[in-house]
Amino acid sequence: MVILETPRLALRRWRVDAPGPMAAVNADQEVMRWIGDGSVRDEQQTHRGIEAMEREWDRQGFGLFAVEIRSTGELAGFTGLSIPDFMPEVLPAVEVGWRLGRAHWGPGRRATRSRGRSSTASQFFTLSTCGTASGPSIHSLPLRSFGWPSHYRPSGGRASIC
């Protein structure tokens, strides 16, 4: 099992039988207003989402990690790399995605999480290009060319898509 660690965070695979903490994040209207149409998700929807994230790991060999606060073991949300099948207009592409509970929003967390994710990602594959990204933290990511297979290269730019 892949586990990435920074001084504050552990990025790990999902525990499919424990959707409760992520369901709390997905039930927060302020968090979800940035996701899709802004609808909140219940525990069943969250459980199906976690199962889908695990299937992506099994199918692609990469995916979205659960983000755990190392000092407390608390689940903060998720982050990682994913193929955005929900946006066929940008495929083929790889999305750098995250969703964190409001208690974990703040300076330093996104950059730390992203640096840990991208530095470990570089051990496995290459991202050849990166589209225009949104949000202040995306500019601090140490993305560089690592030789991603050509069939994953994006055909055009899109926010948070590499």
Side-chain angles (χ1 to χ4, degrees):
M1 176 185 295
V2 176
I3 298 177
L4 311 177
E5 292 184 329
T6 71
R8 289 182 288 179
L9 305 174
L11 309 183
R12 60 166 173 76
R13 296 279 300 266
W14 289 91
R15 297 180 187 123
V16 177
D17 60 339
M22 192 64 214
V25 172
N26 287 340
D28 185 325
Q29 290 181 337
E30 183 65 17
V31 171
M32 296 304 291
R33 78 181 185 129
W34 305 104
I35 311 301
D37 67 0
S39 298
V40 297
R41 298 189 181 138
D42 63 23
E43 192 161 326
Q44 287 182 331
Q45 292 168 312
T46 299
H47 188 265
R48 286 192 303 270
I50 290 171
E51 288 175 331
M53 288 184 233
E54 278 299 294
R55 281 192 304 274
E56 183 168 40
W57 272 102
D58 294 340
R59 188 176 64 247
Q60 302 294 341
F62 62 88
L64 297 168
F65 288 99
V67 176
E68 190 173 273
I69 307 300
R70 289 182 64 192
S71 62
T72 65
E74 177 185 6
L75 181 77
F78 69 74
T79 190
L81 302 173
S82 182
I83 296 177
D85 294 326
F86 57 92
M87 294 189 306
E89 68 275 12
V90 303
L91 294 175
V94 174
E95 174 186 33
V96 177
W98 61 85
R99 185 176 312 153
L100 297 176
R102 266 194 288 171
H104 304 287
W105 293 1
R109 288 189 173 98
R110 290 177 298 224
T112 297
R113 181 183 67 251
S114 299
R115 278 192 289 275
R117 177 179 62 235
S118 62
S119 65
T120 301
S122 70
Q123 297 172 24
F124 300 105
F125 48 77
T126 300
L127 298 177
S128 63
T129 61
C130 193
T132 303
S134 63
S137 64
I138 199 75
H139 301 293
S140 64
L141 294 179
L143 295 175
R144 55 190 184 272
S145 180
F146 298 116
W148 186 261
S150 62
H151 62 283
Y152 286 127
R153 290 189 181 131
S155 58
R158 177 147 176 111
S160 301
I161 302 292
C162 293

